[in-house]
Amino acid sequence: GGGKILQAVSNTTNTETTNASTNLVSSGLAVAITPSASSSKILVLVGSNFRVAGDGGASNVAREGKVAIFRGSVSGTLLQQQIIGITNIDATTSAGVQSVNSISFAFLDSPSTTNATTYTVGISGLNNGDAQAQPFNFGSSMVLLEVGA
């Protein structure tokens, strides 16, 4: 019958990665899986530590960051994303203003392939925020579960 877990793969990283740009880059967390059947689904589970720090810009602009999961690299297929941070603080600049968050994703993907498929977490700064994954070297993890059709 369907719905059985056919395989599980995972990866953990605690390497701090910072991105001040609004262009998405890898957070350093990626996992590859080779589905045993093209009809299988892949359950993508992510638990990530994430910090947004003010970049010193004007205080009336939000200090935010973006976290997203992709099939492939950060230029691949966007599956899900979140925007995290501080939207408004009364300060002359945003320097030193920080928001530390625990981010989670649960996404059921249908890659329709038996080729090796990589899933990647991407991060970017947004507005007056710089994004940082694994702040203070706190770990982030991804688990991929192949679910039979």
Side-chain angles (χ1 to χ4, degrees), residues 74-96:
V74 294
S75 58
T77 302
L78 174 65
L79 301 177
Q80 202 170 47
Q81 64 183 342
Q82 299 180 35
I83 295 175
I84 302 298
I86 302 170
T87 57
N88 191 11
I89 284 187
D90 185 13
T92 52
T93 74
S94 65

PDB file of all heavy atoms in Angstrom, residues 74-96:
ATOM      1  N   VAL A  74      19.545  27.313  -5.103  1.00  0.00           N
ATOM      2  CA  VAL A  74      18.691  28.483  -4.862  1.00  0.00           C
ATOM      3  C   VAL A  74      18.199  29.115  -6.163  1.00  0.00           C
ATOM      4  O   VAL A  74      17.346  29.996  -6.135  1.00  0.00           O
ATOM      5  CB  VAL A  74      19.396  29.543  -3.979  1.00  0.00           C
ATOM      6  CG1 VAL A  74      19.623  29.009  -2.579  1.00  0.00           C
ATOM      7  CG2 VAL A  74      20.698  30.008  -4.603  1.00  0.00           C
ATOM      8  N   SER A  75      18.709  28.657  -7.295  1.00  0.00           N
ATOM      9  CA  SER A  75      18.158  29.099  -8.585  1.00  0.00           C
ATOM     10  C   SER A  75      17.203  28.054  -9.152  1.00  0.00           C
ATOM     11  O   SER A  75      16.728  28.176 -10.276  1.00  0.00           O
ATOM     12  CB  SER A  75      19.285  29.395  -9.581  1.00  0.00           C
ATOM     13  OG  SER A  75      20.079  28.245  -9.771  1.00  0.00           O
ATOM     14  N   GLY A  76      16.898  27.015  -8.347  1.00  0.00           N
ATOM     15  CA  GLY A  76      15.990  25.947  -8.778  1.00  0.00           C
ATOM     16  C   GLY A  76      14.539  26.293  -8.516  1.00  0.00           C
ATOM     17  O   GLY A  76      14.135  27.457  -8.558  1.00  0.00           O
ATOM     18  N   THR A  77      13.741  25.278  -8.206  1.00  0.00           N
ATOM     19  CA  THR A  77      12.302  25.445  -8.008  1.00  0.00           C
ATOM     20  C   THR A  77      12.014  25.851  -6.565  1.00  0.00           C
ATOM     21  O   THR A  77      12.310  25.105  -5.629  1.00  0.00           O
ATOM     22  CB  THR A  77      11.567  24.125  -8.315  1.00  0.00           C
ATOM     23  OG1 THR A  77      11.868  23.731  -9.664  1.00  0.00           O
ATOM     24  CG2 THR A  77      10.066  24.279  -8.146  1.00  0.00           C
ATOM     25  N   LEU A  78      11.436  27.041  -6.392  1.00  0.00           N
ATOM     26  CA  LEU A  78      11.051  27.520  -5.062  1.00  0.00           C
ATOM     27  C   LEU A  78       9.856  26.703  -4.585  1.00  0.00           C
ATOM     28  O   LEU A  78       8.828  26.625  -5.257  1.00  0.00           O
ATOM     29  CB  LEU A  78      10.685  29.001  -5.110  1.00  0.00           C
ATOM     30  CG  LEU A  78      10.117  29.599  -3.823  1.00  0.00           C
ATOM     31  CD1 LEU A  78      11.140  29.590  -2.706  1.00  0.00           C
ATOM     32  CD2 LEU A  78       9.611  31.021  -4.084  1.00  0.00           C
ATOM     33  N   LEU A  79       9.987  26.101  -3.385  1.00  0.00           N
ATOM     34  CA  LEU A  79       8.902  25.290  -2.835  1.00  0.00           C
ATOM     35  C   LEU A  79       8.110  26.049  -1.774  1.00  0.00           C
ATOM     36  O   LEU A  79       6.891  25.960  -1.733  1.00  0.00           O
ATOM     37  CB  LEU A  79       9.466  23.998  -2.231  1.00  0.00           C
ATOM     38  CG  LEU A  79      10.232  23.100  -3.198  1.00  0.00           C
ATOM     39  CD1 LEU A  79      10.799  21.894  -2.466  1.00  0.00           C
ATOM     40  CD2 LEU A  79       9.348  22.673  -4.362  1.00  0.00           C
ATOM     41  N   GLN A  80       8.802  26.767  -0.912  1.00  0.00           N
ATOM     42  CA  GLN A  80       8.135  27.475   0.180  1.00  0.00           C
ATOM     43  C   GLN A  80       9.098  28.520   0.718  1.00  0.00           C
ATOM     44  O   GLN A  80      10.317  28.326   0.686  1.00  0.00           O
ATOM     45  CB  GLN A  80       7.759  26.475   1.275  1.00  0.00           C
ATOM     46  CG  GLN A  80       6.644  26.906   2.195  1.00  0.00           C
ATOM     47  CD  GLN A  80       6.194  25.752   3.083  1.00  0.00           C
ATOM     48  OE1 GLN A  80       7.010  25.061   3.673  1.00  0.00           O
ATOM     49  NE2 GLN A  80       4.893  25.552   3.183  1.00  0.00           N
ATOM     50  N   GLN A  81       8.560  29.644   1.246  1.00  0.00           N
ATOM     51  CA  GLN A  81       9.424  30.676   1.809  1.00  0.00           C
ATOM     52  C   GLN A  81       8.746  31.382   2.971  1.00  0.00           C
ATOM     53  O   GLN A  81       7.526  31.361   3.095  1.00  0.00           O
ATOM     54  CB  GLN A  81       9.852  31.686   0.748  1.00  0.00           C
ATOM     55  CG  GLN A  81       8.718  32.492   0.139  1.00  0.00           C
ATOM     56  CD  GLN A  81       9.211  33.425  -0.961  1.00  0.00           C
ATOM     57  OE1 GLN A  81      10.389  33.721  -1.069  1.00  0.00           O
ATOM     58  NE2 GLN A  81       8.299  33.885  -1.787  1.00  0.00           N
ATOM     59  N   GLN A  82       9.582  31.985   3.813  1.00  0.00           N
ATOM     60  CA  GLN A  82       9.111  32.761   4.958  1.00  0.00           C
ATOM     61  C   GLN A  82       9.911  34.054   5.029  1.00  0.00           C
ATOM     62  O   GLN A  82      11.092  34.082   4.681  1.00  0.00           O
ATOM     63  CB  GLN A  82       9.322  32.002   6.271  1.00  0.00           C
ATOM     64  CG  GLN A  82       8.586  30.689   6.360  1.00  0.00           C
ATOM     65  CD  GLN A  82       8.840  29.991   7.691  1.00  0.00           C
ATOM     66  OE1 GLN A  82       8.983  30.625   8.726  1.00  0.00           O
ATOM     67  NE2 GLN A  82       8.901  28.675   7.665  1.00  0.00           N
ATOM     68  N   ILE A  83       9.254  35.098   5.498  1.00  0.00           N
ATOM     69  CA  ILE A  83       9.941  36.363   5.782  1.00  0.00           C
ATOM     70  C   ILE A  83       9.913  36.556   7.288  1.00  0.00           C
ATOM     71  O   ILE A  83       8.861  36.465   7.916  1.00  0.00           O
ATOM     72  CB  ILE A  83       9.277  37.545   5.049  1.00  0.00           C
ATOM     73  CG1 ILE A  83       9.439  37.367   3.534  1.00  0.00           C
ATOM     74  CG2 ILE A  83       9.876  38.869   5.513  1.00  0.00           C
ATOM     75  CD1 ILE A  83       8.734  38.390   2.693  1.00  0.00           C
ATOM     76  N   ILE A  84      11.085  36.794   7.861  1.00  0.00           N
ATOM     77  CA  ILE A  84      11.256  36.870   9.303  1.00  0.00           C
ATOM     78  C   ILE A  84      11.952  38.177   9.641  1.00  0.00           C
ATOM     79  O   ILE A  84      12.796  38.648   8.898  1.00  0.00           O
ATOM     80  CB  ILE A  84      12.130  35.683   9.790  1.00  0.00           C
ATOM     81  CG1 ILE A  84      11.499  34.356   9.397  1.00  0.00           C
ATOM     82  CG2 ILE A  84      12.373  35.747  11.290  1.00  0.00           C
ATOM     83  CD1 ILE A  84      10.151  34.089   9.995  1.00  0.00           C
ATOM     84  N   GLY A  85      11.621  38.752  10.789  1.00  0.00           N
ATOM     85  CA  GLY A  85      12.365  39.922  11.243  1.00  0.00           C
ATOM     86  C   GLY A  85      11.535  40.870  12.071  1.00  0.00           C
ATOM     87  O   GLY A  85      10.538  40.493  12.687  1.00  0.00           O
ATOM     88  N   ILE A  86      11.960  42.113  12.061  1.00  0.00           N
ATOM     89  CA  ILE A  86      11.338  43.178  12.845  1.00  0.00           C
ATOM     90  C   ILE A  86      10.821  44.214  11.856  1.00  0.00           C
ATOM     91  O   ILE A  86      11.578  44.724  11.027  1.00  0.00           O
ATOM     92  CB  ILE A  86      12.366  43.814  13.804  1.00  0.00           C
ATOM     93  CG1 ILE A  86      12.940  42.745  14.732  1.00  0.00           C
ATOM     94  CG2 ILE A  86      11.737  44.950  14.590  1.00  0.00           C
ATOM     95  CD1 ILE A  86      14.116  43.196  15.549  1.00  0.00           C
ATOM     96  N   THR A  87       9.537  44.527  11.935  1.00  0.00           N
ATOM     97  CA  THR A  87       8.953  45.415  10.935  1.00  0.00           C
ATOM     98  C   THR A  87       9.081  46.894  11.287  1.00  0.00           C
ATOM     99  O   THR A  87       9.101  47.727  10.406  1.00  0.00           O
ATOM    100  CB  THR A  87       7.470  45.079  10.707  1.00  0.00           C
ATOM    101  OG1 THR A  87       6.788  45.172  11.950  1.00  0.00           O
ATOM    102  CG2 THR A  87       7.320  43.687  10.141  1.00  0.00           C
ATOM    103  N   ASN A  88       9.162  47.235  12.577  1.00  0.00           N
ATOM    104  CA  ASN A  88       9.244  48.654  12.915  1.00  0.00           C
ATOM    105  C   ASN A  88       9.814  48.825  14.316  1.00  0.00           C
ATOM    106  O   ASN A  88       9.318  48.237  15.264  1.00  0.00           O
ATOM    107  CB  ASN A  88       7.853  49.302  12.841  1.00  0.00           C
ATOM    108  CG  ASN A  88       7.929  50.816  12.909  1.00  0.00           C
ATOM    109  OD1 ASN A  88       9.007  51.385  12.811  1.00  0.00           O
ATOM    110  ND2 ASN A  88       6.805  51.448  13.086  1.00  0.00           N
ATOM    111  N   ILE A  89      10.863  49.618  14.415  1.00  0.00           N
ATOM    112  CA  ILE A  89      11.477  49.916  15.714  1.00  0.00           C
ATOM    113  C   ILE A  89      11.811  51.393  15.726  1.00  0.00           C
ATOM    114  O   ILE A  89      12.275  51.949  14.734  1.00  0.00           O
ATOM    115  CB  ILE A  89      12.753  49.079  15.932  1.00  0.00           C
ATOM    116  CG1 ILE A  89      12.362  47.646  16.278  1.00  0.00           C
ATOM    117  CG2 ILE A  89      13.623  49.655  17.030  1.00  0.00           C
ATOM    118  CD1 ILE A  89      13.506  46.778  16.674  1.00  0.00           C
ATOM    119  N   ASP A  90      11.594  52.048  16.842  1.00  0.00           N
ATOM    120  CA  ASP A  90      11.898  53.469  16.983  1.00  0.00           C
ATOM    121  C   ASP A  90      13.371  53.622  17.353  1.00  0.00           C
ATOM    122  O   ASP A  90      13.756  53.521  18.508  1.00  0.00           O
ATOM    123  CB  ASP A  90      11.008  54.094  18.059  1.00  0.00           C
ATOM    124  CG  ASP A  90      11.202  55.595  18.163  1.00  0.00           C
ATOM    125  OD1 ASP A  90      11.830  56.174  17.246  1.00  0.00           O
ATOM    126  OD2 ASP A  90      10.745  56.178  19.148  1.00  0.00           O
ATOM    127  N   ALA A  91      14.210  53.796  16.346  1.00  0.00           N
ATOM    128  CA  ALA A  91      15.645  53.977  16.547  1.00  0.00           C
ATOM    129  C   ALA A  91      16.179  54.806  15.396  1.00  0.00           C
ATOM    130  O   ALA A  91      15.582  54.854  14.326  1.00  0.00           O
ATOM    131  CB  ALA A  91      16.332  52.618  16.584  1.00  0.00           C
ATOM    132  N   THR A  92      17.291  55.483  15.619  1.00  0.00           N
ATOM    133  CA  THR A  92      17.828  56.320  14.547  1.00  0.00           C
ATOM    134  C   THR A  92      18.393  55.491  13.412  1.00  0.00           C
ATOM    135  O   THR A  92      18.324  55.888  12.257  1.00  0.00           O
ATOM    136  CB  THR A  92      18.914  57.268  15.092  1.00  0.00           C
ATOM    137  OG1 THR A  92      19.871  56.473  15.806  1.00  0.00           O
ATOM    138  CG2 THR A  92      18.311  58.313  15.991  1.00  0.00           C
ATOM    139  N   THR A  93      18.971  54.350  13.723  1.00  0.00           N
ATOM    140  CA  THR A  93      19.411  53.416  12.686  1.00  0.00           C
ATOM    141  C   THR A  93      19.060  52.016  13.131  1.00  0.00           C
ATOM    142  O   THR A  93      18.704  51.790  14.287  1.00  0.00           O
ATOM    143  CB  THR A  93      20.932  53.480  12.420  1.00  0.00           C
ATOM    144  OG1 THR A  93      21.612  52.860  13.501  1.00  0.00           O
ATOM    145  CG2 THR A  93      21.413  54.906  12.212  1.00  0.00           C
ATOM    146  N   SER A  94      19.206  51.084  12.218  1.00  0.00           N
ATOM    147  CA  SER A  94      18.881  49.693  12.538  1.00  0.00           C
ATOM    148  C   SER A  94      20.103  48.916  13.007  1.00  0.00           C
ATOM    149  O   SER A  94      20.017  47.726  13.248  1.00  0.00           O
ATOM    150  CB  SER A  94      18.260  49.009  11.321  1.00  0.00           C
ATOM    151  OG  SER A  94      19.201  48.924  10.274  1.00  0.00           O
ATOM    152  N   ALA A  95      21.264  49.554  13.127  1.00  0.00           N
ATOM    153  CA  ALA A  95      22.477  48.842  13.539  1.00  0.00           C
ATOM    154  C   ALA A  95      22.268  48.208  14.909  1.00  0.00           C
ATOM    155  O   ALA A  95      21.759  48.842  15.831  1.00  0.00           O
ATOM    156  CB  ALA A  95      23.667  49.787  13.571  1.00  0.00           C
ATOM    157  N   GLY A  96      22.659  46.978  15.039  1.00  0.00           N
ATOM    158  CA  GLY A  96      22.570  46.283  16.322  1.00  0.00           C
ATOM    159  C   GLY A  96      21.201  45.707  16.642  1.00  0.00           C
ATOM    160  O   GLY A  96      21.069  44.955  17.589  1.00  0.00           O
TER     161      GLY A  96
END
